[in-house]
Amino acid sequence: MENTIPLSVYRKQVDLLYQRVPASLMTSVIISVCFLFFLRTFPEPHVLQVWVAYMMALVVLRAFVFFLYRKSKKRDFRQTRLAERIFLAGVVLSGLGWGSVAWWLYPLATEQSTQVIFFVVVVGVAAAAIPTLSYRRLHIQIFVCLTILPMLIGLYNSYGNQNLILAFIAVVYTAFIIKSGCIFQEHHEEMLVLKEASQVREKQLKVATKEAKSANRAKSRFLANMSHEIRTPMNAIIGRTRLALDETSSPELQAHLETIQNASENLLSLINDILDFSKIEAGELKISNKPFDLFDTLRSLLNTVRFLADDEKGLNVTLEIADDVPRAVVGDSMRLRQILLNLVNNAIKFTETGCVDVRVACLKAKEKTVLIQFSVSDTGIGIALDNQEAIFNEFVQEDDSTTKVFGGTGLGLAICKHLCDLMGGQIAVSSIPGKGSTFTLSSSFLCCNFSELPDIFPQVDHKPMSSDSLNILLVEDNEANRVLAGMVLAKAGHTLVEACNGIDALNCLVGQSYDVVLMDVQMPIMDGLKCTRIIRAAELGDELAGVDKELADKLSVQLRGCHTLIVAMTANAMSGDREDCLDSGMDEYITKPFYLDDLNRVFSVFVEGKGEIS
Ligand code: ADP
């Protein structure tokens, strides 16, 4: 093993030998001084003085070597071996010094107590060498032999062969210490080798983790781009299908179009799920903690799903909020809404008749923290006990027939579970097959004052107007989407000016004001985020970077002191995109494919100041 140990382990062993040098030098000095002080009656004091002088000279020499070693930094194998050999020379000289106590001083002592002192010192020094010299086997072996075995000569010289027992003990003791030293060395070396291996593995693991993280980031980027690319044509497909559905009176064509529309919407929700899931996997999904109106969040959610349940199945969806549930809380309203929406959508999907009830209750309240439980109960098909845990795993559905009958991917609940974990909450289900299911989500929220709630309808400084006919600037690079948006908006009675990128939009804003700017995000030449920042800077009278001076001057004159309503209309659906848009200064965010309802909702909130978000 000695020959095959890695250089770093060998280096560490030699390092440890040197590290212990100060302690052994101190021992030498203390014992030497004690000898001089306590053994003043020693019959031949000059011999004792010579011995002490030898030990002191050795201390100085070894201290010098120690400092030289400490000074040298990186040592290769050759230098390490040289350092070890020099150390070994010191060990030999030191061993001879201690050994001479036994064969040289011991026989000269006339008092038995002095002999006992010499005996104890020699034996003690040999034993103390185990933890200081055992890092290299040869060192402990040589030192112990040189220290103890000369005692046999001493014993022989002082008592002749009468003291055989003492000599026998000395031999056995030598063997014992050498064996202990060897065991110590073996174990310590093994530990160093393992430590070295684990350090190598740790380094490999760090590299692998870094690689995995960057691969994950690349995957997220790829997914974000793919999402944009897929959503852009989907926008056109879904939008045109809606228009065609409105215009056709043929039942057969209507059935075809509805199928296209359903399939497209399913595809879109699948894309959203996969995007969310990949973000969660990449650890990039962050939970925000902001004050929000819990009641508003719940009511808006129910408004959205009621329409679906009523229209399609005639199900009654109810919302019951207990009196002690606080309205203003701190948390991530978007993620809470996403979880509950998934649970309620599932409840509607798996229930043919009966009702879906959403109940909100306060389980615990302590100081400013409340534990709130949201439960979604249905009277649907239910879930067998065996499957109730598994359905929270990704891509798991109750059984194979579920996909055939109800569609879906089995990702929704897995996402809910992950989101719930990120929120520090818990999600569970209890269900009786054939009778219905109840999903419960419990999570803690901090209560806040009503005044801390953000103004979701910012008081922007633009003139009140009717949303019946708005003057809209549509900034969109994709022609199909421009045409579609044009058709939808014109049909709703709005007038439209089109721009293909941010610079185009800025030029359109010179000399004319618009009620709303519908702004795409990803565009060539200048993207929507940058364009929005420039508009906001112009409104504040700040310097405009990134546009030529003439345009900047005109924009400043036109926009200073106003607030242009800018709504992001983008195919970027990754979480965090909304925050990016709002951070750049946009007022609202809708994802493509957009529905006229979404636009009307925004118009009614921002333009007419109605507070009803559905
Ligand atoms: P998906 O609905 O897309 O299949 P989910 O992860 O949301 O994915 O649900 C996983 C499975 O759990 C569903 O396929 C279904 O078998 C079961 N499930 C979820 N909610 C209900 C419910 N309310 N009633 C009956 N089964 C449900």
Side-chain angles (χ1 to χ4, degrees):
M1 189 167 187
E2 293 237 348
N3 295 332
T4 55
I5 54 168
L7 173 61
S8 56
V9 171
Y10 177 43
R11 222 189 270 144
K12 183 77 192 158
Q13 289 175 331
V14 176
D15 266 353
L16 284 165
L17 285 175
Y18 273 93
Q19 266 177 33
R20 304 292 181 267
V21 165
S24 48
L25 296 188
M26 285 287 280
T27 314
S28 299
V29 172
I30 291 169
I31 294 178
S32 303
V33 171
C34 287
F35 275 7
L36 276 185
F37 189 75
F38 293 112
L39 305 180
R40 268 169 296 187
T41 55
F42 193 67
E44 300 202 34
H46 64 280
V47 175
L48 195 64
Q49 285 156 8
V50 168
W51 182 84
V52 170
Y54 169 82
M55 292 307 276
M56 288 302 109
L58 196 59
V59 165
V60 173
L61 188 70
R62 292 188 70 198
F64 177 67
V65 172
F66 170 73
F67 284 115
L68 282 186
Y69 182 82
R70 284 278 297 270
K71 266 187 148 181
S72 63
K73 286 268 145 51
K74 288 216 153 191
R75 284 172 288 272
D76 60 14
F77 175 71
R78 239 168 33 86
Q79 289 160 328
T80 311
R81 201 173 50 187
L82 181 67
E84 189 198 6
R85 286 187 179 162
I86 293 173
F87 188 90
L88 187 60
V91 167
V92 171
L93 292 176
S94 166
L96 287 174
W98 293 114
S100 64
V101 172
W103 66 261
W104 191 25
L105 303 184
Y106 190 92
L108 296 180
T110 45
E111 286 177 30
Q112 212 173 358
S113 61
T114 310
Q115 285 180 336
V116 171
I117 290 174
F118 286 149
F119 187 82
V120 169
V121 164
V122 168
V123 168
V125 164
I130 298 179
T132 54
L133 292 180
S134 294
Y135 302 110
R136 300 291 296 164
R137 198 175 287 200
L138 191 61
H139 292 60
I140 185 75
Q141 287 167 344
I142 288 183
F143 183 78
V144 173
C145 288
L146 287 178
T147 309
I148 303 185
L149 292 184
M151 191 178 285
L152 300 180
I153 305 170
L155 288 172
Y156 182 79
N157 283 345
S158 53
Y159 294 102
N161 49 13
Q162 290 164 5
N163 222 330
L164 260 176
I165 296 177
L166 218 52
F168 177 73
I169 290 174
V171 171
V172 172
Y173 191 65
T174 307
F176 171 75
I177 293 187
I178 288 178
K179 184 70 191 158
S180 305
C182 289
I183 292 173
F184 179 98
Q185 193 273 340
E186 220 166 82
H187 286 187
H188 194 267
E189 187 171 278
E190 227 172 81
M191 193 195 78
L192 286 179
V193 169
L194 284 176
K195 199 170 160 196
E196 164 80 9
S198 83
Q199 274 167 354
V200 169
R201 237 167 269 148
E202 198 182 323
K203 266 188 205 150
Q204 288 169 340
L205 211 67
K206 273 189 187 152
V207 172
T209 314
K210 210 169 150 195
E211 279 172 9
K213 274 189 180 159
S214 83
N216 239 341
R217 270 197 297 275
K219 189 180 83 179
S220 280
R221 259 198 313 278
F222 168 77
L223 278 165
N225 289 339
M226 282 301 288
S227 138
H228 185 264
E229 295 310 312
I230 296 171
R231 282 175 150 263
T232 303
M234 289 291 284
N235 181 30
I237 296 170
I238 296 179
R240 291 273 176 147
T241 312
R242 282 205 156 202
L243 282 179
L245 261 172
D246 284 350
E247 280 163 17
T248 185
S249 51
S250 147
E252 206 174 305
L253 202 57
Q254 241 174 11
H256 290 324
L257 289 169
E258 268 165 14
T259 311
I260 295 174
Q261 193 177 17
N262 285 341
S264 314
E265 278 167 3
N266 283 343
L267 185 57
L268 204 64
S269 98
L270 174 64
I271 294 166
N272 288 343
D273 277 358
I274 291 177
L275 283 174
D276 261 352
F277 192 71
S278 80
K279 269 240 153 175
I280 290 169
E281 263 201 322
E284 287 177 15
L285 204 140
K286 301 274 176 296
I287 293 293
S288 73
N289 261 328
K290 290 184 186 147
F292 70 96
D293 187 328
L294 180 61
F295 291 9
D296 265 2
T297 305
L298 293 165
R299 284 187 192 128
S300 101
L301 175 107
L302 263 282
N303 281 346
T304 314
V305 294
R306 255 187 207 131
F307 148 82
L308 213 155
D310 266 5
D311 252 28
E312 293 184 357
K313 298 191 171 170
L315 291 175
N316 189 20
V317 183
T318 64
L319 170 65
E320 193 184 306
I321 304 175
D323 292 342
D324 54 351
V325 175
R327 180 167 184 168
V329 291
V330 180
D332 192 326
S333 61
M334 249 175 66
R335 296 297 164 200
L336 175 67
R337 186 187 152 96
Q338 186 178 350
I339 298 174
L340 293 176
L341 192 63
N342 193 77
L343 297 182
V344 179
N345 275 340
N346 272 353
I348 295 169
K349 183 160 92 175
F350 295 105
T351 306
E352 280 315 307
T353 52
C355 58
V356 172
D357 301 320
V358 179
R359 288 194 192 90
V360 186
C362 182
L363 291 187
K364 219 173 16 183
K366 200 176 167 200
E367 288 165 15
K368 288 200 106 187
T369 311
V370 279
L371 178 63
I372 300 179
Q373 185 180 67
F374 305 84
S375 59
V376 179
S377 311
D378 63 57
T379 50
I381 59 172
I383 305 158
L385 190 64
D386 289 353
N387 299 327
Q388 287 178 13
E389 216 179 297
I391 52 168
F392 291 100
N393 296 335
E394 48 269 21
F395 303 110
V396 173
Q397 297 188 309
E398 242 236 286
D399 58 54
D400 292 346
S401 62
T402 311
T403 323
K404 286 185 202 126
V405 182
F406 299 98
T409 54
L411 264 181
L413 287 178
I415 293 172
C416 289
K417 170 114 183 55
H418 281 292
L419 290 177
C420 192
D421 288 345
L422 287 173
M423 284 167 58
Q426 280 182 331
I427 189 166
V429 63
S430 66
S431 179
I432 302 174
K435 295 226 158 132
S437 316
T438 299
F439 283 81
T440 50
L441 157 73
S442 27
S443 180
S444 292
F445 294 88
L446 262 180
C447 299
C448 62
N449 291 330
F450 207 69
S451 58
E452 288 175 60
L453 293 181
D455 199 357
I456 44 169
F457 315 122
Q459 296 303 306
V460 291
D461 176 26
H462 52 71
K463 35 197 182 317
M465 64 197 89
S466 153
S467 65
D468 289 350
S469 170
L470 298 173
N471 188 16
I472 298 172
L473 172 62
L474 173 71
V475 193
E476 161 73 68
D477 65 319
N478 184 287
E479 199 189 341
N481 283 341
R482 273 203 311 276
V483 173
L484 172 68
M487 289 164 87
V488 172
L489 294 169
K491 209 170 158 210
H494 306 302
T495 50
L496 199 73
V497 173
E498 291 176 11
C500 303
N501 56 57
I503 286 284
D504 239 13
L506 294 178
N507 280 310
C508 292
L509 281 162
V510 173
Q512 199 186 337
S513 57
Y514 299 89
D515 299 326
V516 184
V517 177
L518 293 179
M519 182 80 80
D520 190 13
V521 173
Q522 266 186 35
M523 286 180 295
I525 305 175
M526 182 187 279
D527 65 35
L529 300 179
K530 187 164 181 199
C531 179
T532 306
R533 276 189 212 106
I534 291 173
I535 296 171
R536 294 294 178 237
E539 290 170 351
L540 292 172
D542 291 346
E543 204 173 304
L544 306 189
V547 281
D548 66 51
K549 187 157 176 355
E550 197 186 336
L551 178 59
D553 290 345
K554 286 182 185 164
L555 280 171
S556 296
V557 171
Q558 174 76 28
L559 300 176
R560 198 184 193 118
C562 308
H563 182 97
T564 314
L565 178 59
I566 305 176
V567 177
M569 198 175 67
T570 164
N572 286 359
M574 298 289 277
S575 35
D577 294 331
R578 180 188 165 87
E579 285 76 9
D580 289 346
C581 290
L582 299 185
D583 284 351
S584 74
M586 296 189 193
D587 297 285
E588 246 302 357
Y589 169 101
I590 52 176
T591 56
K592 288 190 274 193
F594 75 90
Y595 300 108
L596 200 53
D597 291 348
D598 291 334
L599 280 181
N600 283 338
R601 171 179 66 85
V602 173
F603 291 160
S604 67
V605 169
F606 283 92
V607 180
E608 293 176 339
K610 293 177 197 165
E612 188 59 24
I613 287 196
S614 61

